[in-house]
């Protein structure tokens, strides 16, 4: 019987790193890419799959920092399934004890390492290889107009991107506000609202 993932909470509450057990034989290898029961047990309520996305990026592409307004929220499980990336979680919850802090995870396709982000957390990554492909398992379908974009080069956050030149970015990401600007404009969720949201989900789970 295959073992479940090792799921470890990161220093940012609500963010987890998942490491699956890899099984090698003469054919190649096998890994469980996603276990809903493991994720749900760790976060304390069911992780429901509402949408699955894929992205492919050239080496040097920087995507993010992206989050979602609350409501509606959109938790994510993000896995590199081809190539390699530097994956980053950023706490966008105003009032959180780790507000503005980040956590780094080096993801390679052969490792199966994944990162789970609760509602209120932001996500970004830098493609370290050509044709780096990311898989996103999302808790809800995307609602147009609810995405939060934050400048991934914001010096206040200070993510140590291993850049050798200017990153490849979308116009929207390149023109995104800093964390302080987004907070001043009321664009970010509060930690209090996120905790109430998590508690409501847990209450629904335990009925």
């Amino acid at each position: 019987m295959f073992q479940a993932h090792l799921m470890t909470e990161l220093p940012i509450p609500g963010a987890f790193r998942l490491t699956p057990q890899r099984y090698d034989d003469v054919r190649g290898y096998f890994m469980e890419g996603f276990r809903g029961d493991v994720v749900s047990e760790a976060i304390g309520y069911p992780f429901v799959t509402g949408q699955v996305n894929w992205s492919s990026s050239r080496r040097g592409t920087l995507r993010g920092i992206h989050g979602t307004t609350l409501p509606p929220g959109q938790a994510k499980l993000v896995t590199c399934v081809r190539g390699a990336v530097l994956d980053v979680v950023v706490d966008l919850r105003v009032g959180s004890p780790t507000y503005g802090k980040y956590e780094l995870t080096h993801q390679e396709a052969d490792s199966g390492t994944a990162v789970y982000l609760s509602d209120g957390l932001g996500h970004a990554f830098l493609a370290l290889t050509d044709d780096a492909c990311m898989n996103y398992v999302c808790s809800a379908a995307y609602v147009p107009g609810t995405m939060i974009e934050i400048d991934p080069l914001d010096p206040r956050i200070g993510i140590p991107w291993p850049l050798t030149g200017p990153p490849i970015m979308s116009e929207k990401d390149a023109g995104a506000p800093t964390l302080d600007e987004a907070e001043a404009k009321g664009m970010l969720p509060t930690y209090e609202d996120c905790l109430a949201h998590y508690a409501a989900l847990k209450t629904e789970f335990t009925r």
Side-chain angles (χ1 to χ4, degrees):
M1 181 176 179
F2 293 110
Q3 298 178 20
H5 295 82
L6 173 63
M7 189 164 177
T8 307
E9 189 164 22
L10 299 175
I12 294 176
F16 293 81
R17 184 179 294 122
L18 287 78
T19 306
Q21 178 68 46
R22 173 170 156 158
Y23 299 89
D24 293 86
D25 61 25
V26 294
R27 301 166 297 175
Y29 66 82
F30 175 89
M31 290 184 289
E32 293 180 338
F34 170 68
R35 283 284 299 266
D37 58 339
V38 174
V39 175
S40 298
E41 182 178 359
I43 64 177
Y45 49 86
F47 180 72
V48 179
T49 302
Q51 181 172 325
V52 175
N53 304 326
W54 302 290
S55 70
S56 180
S57 303
R58 296 167 52 193
R59 184 192 302 265
T61 293
L62 182 54
R63 294 182 185 259
I65 303 165
H66 297 155
T68 308
T69 59
L70 190 69
Q74 190 187 51
K76 301 180 183 72
L77 179 73
V78 187
T79 314
C80 181
V81 293
R82 185 170 60 233
V85 305
L86 178 64
D87 192 88
V88 184
V89 178
V90 181
D91 194 342
L92 303 181
R93 302 168 297 189
V94 178
S96 165
T98 54
Y99 175 62
K101 302 297 184 183
Y102 64 83
E103 285 293 325
L104 308 177
T105 299
H106 186 84
Q107 291 200 35
E108 294 184 354
D110 286 349
S111 73
T113 300
V115 173
Y116 173 83
L117 303 90
S118 295
D119 290 314
L121 302 180
H123 177 254
F125 72 86
L126 176 69
L128 303 178
T129 61
D130 283 320
D131 201 20
C133 185
M134 298 291 281
N135 182 74
Y136 311 75
V137 181
C138 305
S139 65
Y142 171 66
V143 178
T146 62
M147 181 176 285
I148 299 169
E149 290 103 1
I150 303 295
D151 180 4
L153 302 176
D154 182 354
R156 174 179 176 206
I157 300 173
I159 300 170
W161 301 112
L163 295 167
T164 57
I168 302 167
M169 301 172 67
S170 69
E171 290 185 12
K172 185 175 288 189
D173 285 347
T178 65
L179 189 68
D180 288 343
E181 290 169 342
E183 180 180 354
K185 293 177 181 178
M187 298 168 55
L188 304 178
T190 68
Y191 189 52
E192 183 179 0
D193 286 345
C194 288
L195 291 179
H197 175 69
Y198 307 151
L201 292 172
K202 290 179 181 179
T203 299
E204 184 67 26
F205 180 38
T206 56
R207 282 180 183 174

